[in-house]
Amino acid sequence: MPKGLYIHIPFCDHICTYCDFPKLLTKGQRHAEYIEALIQELKLYQQNVGFSNLQSIYIGGGTPTALSVEQIQPLFDFLTEQIQMNQIQEFSIEANPENLTRDKIQYLKAQGVNRFSLGVQTFHESLLKRIGRKHQAQEVIQAVANLKQCGIKNINLDLIYAIPGQTLDELRDDLRQVISLEVEHISAYSLIVEEHTQLYLAYMRDQIELTDNEIEAKMYEVTIETLTEAGYEHYEISNFAKSKPSLHNQWYWKNETYIGVGLGAHGYVKGQRYQNTRSINTYIELLKDGKLPMIESHALTKEEMIEEEMFLGLRLLKGVNLKAISDKYDVNIDEIYGKAFEELIQKGYLEQKELNVRLTPSGLLMANEVFEQFLLSI
């Protein structure tokens, strides 16, 4: 039974230059119809899968807080009526600093939201403009203050490094400022230039220069060193926590099943990974006809499940327990991956202690190369 529920709200007041998630400008969209379709999709999963084992809800986007209280209220009405909210340990929502007012925080808190994730990215105005962010650094500080004044303790701040033109000193300043806000959780991601984004078009037109790989690696090392020295546990490749690692995201890394609903959402239910359409018109019309809006669904083989168990689990700094995986799938993991383990340990990318295997500091910098070995070994 799924432990997590992801809900996608695609609406944004503006489009960031680097964003490749399913998103639509808020103005002029079919908000009411979308929320109605979203509820219909939830009802289908309620009937076919059930919500009895849910422990986390994550509302992402897009920008969920771009919608007004009146626009999003029907969704919360359904959730609170159909899910035993006392079983939900973590209820997260993504927000932009510029539209997270105290009134909206109080409303969301009353609906059961107990974790807020703010898209900060950087505190430098020139870099914010470069990636299309509309907030200012002061609005981040005010949003965090508002959350704390409303009694919200579980706050995550997202940072992005390796922004074109960003220097190591600017990153160090971002880290200093984010630490000074004393939040529970920090996510720090290297900027990836995705196709079909404004930033990608600028790169193809030679209008921007991407960060050198060596500088990017140094930025990652500085991020780890600075945040761990400040008392944050580096528990996943890009995530740091004082005492509360993200429960919902751990379902992904531990290869647990979860329901994903909304435009472009992904899910993993009953051994099948699926993806929804990214077209809002198709999404709404399919659900009006009582059909799930999937564009792709794949039933994983046992081998694929084992692959995912390895490369997703290795994202966690504590690594994976080989006996647990062997028992779960009734296989001998050493027989399947023995050669890969030997080569990666010899390179200094993996270390093994008894039945546990995990990435080394060097392996963290070469994580994608490590993960590929487990895809090729099956």
Side-chain angles (χ1 to χ4, degrees), residues 257-273:
T257 58
Y258 66 95
I259 300 167
V261 298
L263 202 65
H266 294 251
Y268 181 33
V269 173
K270 295 182 178 179
Q272 294 205 13
R273 292 202 177 274

Side-chain angles (χ1 to χ4, degrees), residues 43-174:
K43 287 179 179 177
L44 292 174
Y45 280 105
Q46 183 181 28
Q47 295 164 9
N48 298 325
V49 182
F51 296 154
S52 62
N53 201 40
L54 290 181
Q55 297 174 38
S56 68
I57 301 173
Y58 192 108
I59 303 180
T63 312
T65 52
L67 293 183
S68 68
V69 168
E70 292 74 20
Q71 288 170 330
I72 204 168
Q73 183 69 57
L75 172 62
F76 282 112
D77 286 344
F78 176 84
L79 295 175
T80 54
E81 289 170 5
Q82 302 301 324
I83 296 175
Q84 294 293 326
M85 297 306 290
N86 59 0
Q87 75 190 34
I88 302 300
Q89 300 173 37
E90 180 185 274
F91 192 163
S92 304
I93 193 166
E94 292 179 354
N96 281 346
E98 66 269 27
N99 55 31
L100 194 60
T101 62
R102 288 191 64 176
D103 286 345
K104 190 164 284 188
I105 294 168
Q106 292 284 23
Y107 164 75
L108 292 168
K109 182 182 177 183
Q111 306 305 311
V113 176
N114 57 19
R115 183 177 186 271
F116 285 74
S117 183
L118 300 186
V120 175
Q121 321 317 0
T122 176
F123 290 88
H124 291 268
E125 307 296 338
S126 61
L127 296 176
L128 286 169
K129 290 179 181 177
R130 194 164 300 158
I131 57 177
R133 301 293 290 179
K134 296 300 181 185
H135 72 266
Q136 297 179 337
Q138 184 57 41
E139 289 175 305
V140 174
I141 296 168
Q142 186 60 56
V144 172
N146 288 342
L147 285 165
K148 290 182 177 182
Q149 288 166 10
C150 292
I152 301 297
K153 297 179 181 179
N154 200 351
I155 303 168
N156 171 64
L157 301 183
D158 277 351
L159 286 181
I160 291 180
Y161 60 90
I163 299 169
Q166 184 183 31
T167 66
L168 272 166
D169 283 342
E170 286 173 327
L171 173 61
R172 290 189 179 99
D173 184 58
D174 281 343

